[in-house]
Amino acid sequence: MVQHVEQNLQLMTKRAVKAENSATKLKQENALLQAQLKNYKTENEALRSGHSASLAIMKQNADIALQNLLTVITSSQSSIKQLVSGAESLQLVADLLKSIDKISEIPDDGH
């Protein structure tokens, strides 16, 4: 009977040692997973802030493009006004040249 109790104690001791080893391994695995989780959270926050920064840069670029577009529009309007004015001047010159042709066609009565 004593031998049976000793065997049971040995089995229980082996089980206890095995359970302690398993608990130690699980604690180590848990610590590793906690560290990974912390790293993933940090990475996630960095990605989120990077995304926000990207949106801010995109908005800034859109604003710059808008300002450039407005400048081009203003410049184009000025150029179009100058072009129309130049065309009107050319039309006036053309009309004057036509008048000169008419004047040169008037017969000379006295000479």
Side-chain angles (χ1 to χ4, degrees), residues 14-92:
K14 285 181 184 179
R15 286 181 188 162
V17 169
K18 191 175 181 180
E20 285 179 14
N21 288 340
S22 292
T24 302
K25 286 180 185 178
L26 289 173
K27 285 178 184 178
Q28 290 171 349
E29 186 176 345
N30 187 26
L32 177 65
L33 291 172
Q34 290 293 333
Q36 284 180 341
L37 177 62
K38 183 179 178 183
N39 289 339
Y40 290 147
K41 285 181 178 180
T42 302
E43 183 180 354
N44 192 18
E45 285 300 317
L47 289 172
R48 283 185 182 162
S49 95
H51 179 69
S52 296
S54 294
L55 287 177
I57 289 170
M58 286 174 45
K59 184 182 182 315
Q60 182 180 7
N61 288 344
D63 289 342
I64 290 169
L66 175 61
Q67 291 303 317
N68 289 339
L69 184 59
L70 291 173
T71 300
V72 168
I73 289 170
T74 302
S75 175
S76 297
Q77 288 172 337
S78 175
S79 295
I80 289 169
K81 287 177 184 176
Q82 289 174 356
L83 184 61
V84 168
S85 174
E88 289 171 352
S89 295
L90 288 174
Q91 184 64 48
L92 179 62

